[in-house]
Amino acid sequence: MARSRVIILNGVGSVGKSSTARALQTLTAQPFLHMSMDAFIDMLPPRMLGDPDGLVFESTVDEGVTTVTIRTGPVFERVMSGMRRAIAAMAAQGANIIVDDVMLATEAQEYRSLLADFAPKFVGLFAPLDLLERRERDRGDRMPGLARWQYKRVHQGVAYDLEIDTSAITPIQSAQIIRDAFDL
């Protein structure tokens, strides 16, 4: 059996990770599963959203600018750690995987450790903050200010095999870049 391929997309919310992952699924020669952080968050009982043991979004306004701070508790941390282990387990069973995550350097290191046998490819998706905030507003399913909080944190200390600016290209174009870069 051929070794599983794992592509990890990281970036601020509204940068285009999910759209790029879905587009990449249509372009790859082999089938790829799309495993998304959002799907694992959706597994949480609703009472864990807003609970200090789960996931808390705290909105603040400073000089007229809204920022949403994210606070995580032990229940949420176990879910996210479980997600990374589930991805490793699926890869161990031969599945090719596109991971759609919003991660910091510590989570990236855990992925590298868990997926070392599969030589995962890390792809950073970037866009200017003003565009991310506009996409966030236009989507209507994100809290305004979330992108602002994530913007200076998400890519800090994370090494990428490929970086893509999504501000002027479509998700299918991003997917084509990824496919071609890693011969998928």
Side-chain angles (χ1 to χ4, degrees):
M1 177 170 31
R3 181 171 73 169
S4 297
R5 308 284 304 269
V6 180
I7 307 299
I8 300 174
L9 306 179
N10 187 39
V12 172
S14 301
V15 76
K17 295 179 303 297
S18 296
S19 299
T20 297
R22 286 189 297 273
L24 187 56
Q25 285 182 301
T26 70
L27 297 177
T28 57
Q30 297 296 315
F32 273 76
L33 301 177
H34 173 202
M35 296 183 74
S36 169
M37 174 188 195
D38 289 344
F40 281 81
I41 292 172
D42 288 344
M43 292 180 199
L44 284 167
R47 72 177 184 272
M48 286 289 99
L49 299 177
D51 186 299
D53 286 340
L55 183 60
V56 175
F57 297 98
E58 185 179 292
S59 187
T60 58
V61 178
D62 184 24
E63 296 184 19
V65 178
T66 302
T67 300
V68 174
T69 302
I70 302 169
R71 303 209 189 287
T72 61
V75 171
F76 179 78
E77 293 299 328
R78 284 192 300 270
V79 169
M80 291 298 99
S81 184
M83 178 186 90
R84 292 184 285 277
R85 282 162 177 70
I87 289 164
M90 294 295 289
Q93 293 304 308
N96 295 313
I97 302 168
I98 303 164
V99 179
D100 166 357
D101 202 348
V102 177
M103 66 181 164
L104 306 176
T106 53
E107 290 88 8
Q109 190 52 45
E110 187 175 9
Y111 273 124
R112 289 184 196 287
S113 175
L114 290 168
L115 297 167
D117 291 342
F118 307 102
K121 300 299 184 191
F122 285 76
V123 179
L125 299 181
F126 296 81
L129 180 58
D130 62 328
L131 176 60
L132 294 168
E133 289 178 323
R134 185 168 57 252
R135 288 178 182 173
E136 186 175 67
R137 277 190 310 275
D138 292 348
R139 286 177 65 149
D141 66 347
R142 300 284 188 220
M143 293 179 70
L146 189 57
R148 179 169 289 278
W149 185 83
Q150 292 175 348
Y151 192 74
K152 292 183 180 177
R153 292 169 174 80
V154 168
H155 297 294
Q156 190 172 16
V158 180
Y160 294 108
D161 299 292
L162 179 64
E163 295 183 5
I164 300 173
D165 180 345
T166 66
S167 64
I169 61 176
T170 66
I172 197 78
Q173 290 169 317
S174 293
Q176 289 167 334
I177 293 168
I178 295 166
R179 179 200 60 198
D180 295 347
F182 304 127
D183 194 29
L184 304 175

